[in-house]
Amino acid sequence: MIDPKLVTLFGGGGFIGRYVCEQLFDYGEYNVRLRVVSREPRKAHYIQPLAQVGQWGIVRGDVTDPGSVRRAVDGASAVINLTGAFKGMGAVHAEGSRTVAEAARAAGASSLVHISAIGSDAGSEAVYARTKGEGETAVREIFPNATIIRPSIVFGPEDSFANRLAGLSRLPVLPVIAPNCKFQPVYVEDLAKAIARAAVDPQTHGGKTYEIGGPQVLTMREFTVEILKAAGRKTELIDVPGPVSSLISRLGFLPGAPLTRDQWLMLQHDNVASKDAPGLEAFDIRPTPFGAVAPEWLAMYGGNRFARRRVNITATH
């Protein structure tokens, strides 16, 4: 039997993280053991039923705390950084990514998988894109053989975007902000497979940057239509003019505001994988269309309380 491969996973308790855990547990040939790092460990114990006895453990840690990061990666052969934030973005995306990369290098890890986002750019006006870009730069400088994965918008049973729009579809009219902005939505299980494969196979994927999207490029309006179709709703859509959405975004600092200024800035650029960047095909993964799986969980918004919904024991809301 191959010696156990210890993988340290930062952000394993989040939406994408739970699927990455599931994929890593299934890698029988690599005999993976998983150390999940979370700021609030009690919120990640739903992962336990997915693992065999002794296959995983959870530790308290925070990428903004160098000491906890060093302890978390001690003895790890692979490190995955899934962390992201909409508050304190510089501390998490830029400095936190640097801290994880430095700790992974010092620990002698053979692979580091860093999850960024399509549109990351250290010169961007948007804080999210800029800090993500700064994080990528730091990771590449410190750990040149790291695998950087940039996904487009990610959908799945627990995502906040499609579920939120499906819930709002109960309104008589649903406004669409940035209706012409393009996305390439990717199914969370497909993304998780790519992340897991990159972590256990640095000889193939190390040192590369991937842009991960699904099989469809959709405008915001088209994606909203797909969400309504999956939810069984026929809500009327109204496009919000650019100047109006810009004005709304300037009030984004108020509690409950529907759009922040930073989000508006991000929506001024398409979120689509570059044609020359490798994607899911490099991992031998066939991308899953939104319409093939989304009705399984979005049908619950259609008004029929007996609608079929995917049961996912790893989900917490």
Side-chain angles (χ1 to χ4, degrees):
M1 179 179 291
I2 299 174
D3 290 337
K5 178 184 287 290
L6 176 60
V7 180
T8 295
L9 176 57
F10 291 90
F15 165 46
I16 298 172
R18 66 192 69 188
Y19 290 90
V20 175
C21 290
E22 186 173 13
Q23 292 298 321
L24 287 168
F25 291 146
D26 287 342
Y27 271 108
E29 64 178 295
Y30 291 100
N31 196 20
V32 169
R33 290 187 299 119
L34 188 59
R35 179 185 290 156
V36 176
V37 186
S38 175
R39 289 181 299 175
E40 299 182 73
R42 63 185 178 83
K43 291 185 177 182
H45 281 288
Y46 57 81
I47 298 171
Q48 186 171 358
L50 301 175
Q52 298 178 11
V53 176
Q55 196 179 16
W56 87 296
I58 186 166
V59 297
R60 186 183 302 278
D62 190 324
V63 297
T64 64
D65 176 4
S68 71
V69 172
R70 288 192 296 270
R71 291 189 292 272
V73 303
D74 183 37
S77 56
V79 177
I80 302 172
N81 184 10
L82 286 169
T83 56
F86 292 106
K87 292 183 179 180
M89 289 181 273
V92 175
H93 298 163
E95 292 307 315
S97 297
R98 175 181 293 278
T99 298
V100 171
E102 289 174 341
R105 182 182 64 184
S110 59
S111 71
L112 169 62
V113 182
H114 176 76
I115 312 307
S116 187
I118 288 178
S120 298
D121 179 359
S124 175
E125 185 180 359
V127 179
Y128 186 91
R130 182 172 70 251
T131 54
K132 279 288 189 179
E134 291 169 350
E136 285 188 15
T137 300
V139 167
R140 192 60 82 201
E141 289 176 351
I142 296 164
F143 203 115
N145 199 46
T147 304
I148 294 176
I149 295 181
R150 297 171 154 189
S152 183
I153 190 168
V154 184
F155 67 88
E158 304 84 27
D159 80 72
S160 59
F161 184 77
N163 280 283
R164 182 166 180 259
L165 283 182
L168 291 173
S169 69
R170 291 168 174 162
L171 297 172
V173 176
L174 183 60
V176 181
I177 294 175
N180 296 318
C181 182
K182 295 179 181 178
F183 299 89
Q184 195 172 354
V186 59
Y187 186 35
V188 64
E189 288 191 8
D190 294 341
L191 174 62
K193 289 177 183 177
I195 293 170
R197 291 176 187 179
V200 300
D201 189 5
Q203 290 187 337
T204 300
H205 304 291
K208 298 177 181 178
T209 297
Y210 297 95
E211 295 202 346
I212 306 295
Q216 301 164 286
V217 174
L218 302 168
T219 65
M220 178 70 84
R221 173 175 255 277
E222 291 169 340
F223 191 25
T224 303
V225 169
E226 288 294 316
I227 292 170
L228 297 181
K229 186 187 300 183
R233 307 293 296 185
K234 296 183 179 180
T235 309
E236 181 180 355
L237 301 180
I238 295 182
D239 294 346
V240 178
V244 175
S245 61
S246 176
L247 179 60
I248 293 172
S249 73
R250 294 188 181 279
L251 301 175
F253 62 90
L254 296 174
L259 181 72
T260 67
R261 187 63 180 174
D262 207 60
Q263 290 170 336
W264 185 85
L265 289 170
M266 292 287 288
L267 289 171
Q268 305 313 297
H269 303 277
D270 292 338
N271 195 264
V272 176
S274 302
K275 292 183 179 179
D276 56 349
L280 288 176
E281 72 284 348
F283 297 92
D284 295 323
I285 298 170
R286 184 176 180 179
T288 305
F290 180 81
V293 291
E296 295 184 7
W297 63 86
L298 293 184
M300 64 176 291
Y301 296 101
N304 178 4
R305 66 190 183 94
F306 297 106
R308 176 172 176 260
R309 187 187 183 194
R310 172 182 173 174
V311 176
N312 188 334
I313 62 172
T314 68
T316 57
H317 296 277

